[in-house]
Amino acid sequence: MNAAGSSRTALRRLMVEYRALQKNPPEGIFAEPLGEDFFTWEAVIAGPPGTDYEHGVFTAEINFPTDYPLNPPTMTFTSDMWHPNVYPDGTVCISILHAPGDDPNMYETSAERWSPVQSVEKILLSVVSMLAEPNDESGANIDASKMWRDDRARFSEVVRGTVRKSLNL
């Protein structure tokens, strides 16, 4: 399939996923294309109840490749985010967003990585789960990972500040 055909396939898939999200949105999650560009979406995620992120409202951008769903999108928080699995620039680092196939570092199985059966909804639900249960063994933000492991009270304090900032307080 050529690039134009791949792009049309990706666009059709993204339109189907958008309609599904509109019809049955997961609680605490909102996502939609930015304007007419179906390859760039804005997402809004409510902090999961019972976590340090509770009551926060976090925004992110999801950028889809033209060969989606063969390859995963990238997701970047546009609001401040202090989390072991989010790089300081806001880029989310979770298995579901890693390219399909074997992990060159042999940390993840191919089943944990991206596959075309994944969807925008599954990505967003995985991010909510990540917020609730960080993986400090695969830290994207080394400082947040270390704080999560060594000083949970301080970690909670920093996250509460991030939540207040997300609410413009």
Side-chain angles (χ1 to χ4, degrees):
M1 181 183 305
N2 64 24
S6 178
S7 181
R8 280 192 302 274
T9 300
L11 180 58
R12 279 194 301 274
R13 168 76 179 259
L14 289 167
M15 291 173 81
V16 166
E17 290 191 40
Y18 176 55
R19 281 193 293 273
L21 279 172
Q22 283 185 309
K23 187 176 181 177
N24 189 22
E27 189 174 332
I29 296 173
F30 172 81
E32 69 178 5
L34 279 174
E36 300 295 315
D37 181 4
F38 260 80
F39 290 91
T40 304
W41 290 32
E42 179 181 41
V44 179
I45 299 172
T51 71
D52 292 330
Y53 298 93
E54 185 173 22
H55 305 300
V57 179
F58 304 99
T59 56
E61 187 172 286
I62 306 170
N63 291 289
F64 296 90
T66 56
D67 63 351
Y68 179 82
L70 297 177
N71 280 297
T74 58
M75 181 172 176
T76 305
F77 278 100
T78 53
S79 57
D80 285 354
M81 177 55 66
W82 180 254
H83 192 280
N85 307 116
V86 177
Y87 286 99
D89 72 355
T91 302
V92 175
C93 180
I94 55 175
S95 299
I96 193 175
L97 292 177
H98 293 163
D102 293 327
D103 179 5
N105 300 318
M106 297 191 305
Y107 178 75
E108 303 162 329
T109 68
S110 60
E112 294 172 300
R113 297 167 69 87
W114 179 259
S115 80
V117 300
Q118 306 295 2
S119 65
V120 176
E121 179 179 5
K122 289 179 184 175
I123 293 166
L124 294 169
L125 291 171
S126 293
V127 170
V128 169
S129 179
M130 172 203 77
L131 291 175
E133 298 178 30
N135 177 359
D136 65 346
E137 293 176 15
S138 177
N141 182 327
I142 303 302
D143 294 333
S145 295
K146 184 171 175 18
M147 190 180 291
W148 168 260
R149 274 192 312 272
D150 301 340
D151 191 352
R152 194 67 61 89
R154 176 75 178 123
F155 180 88
S156 295
E157 182 181 321
V158 172
V159 170
R160 283 192 302 275
T162 303
V163 166
R164 284 190 300 278
K165 190 169 185 179
S166 81
L167 299 171
N168 293 319
L169 299 176

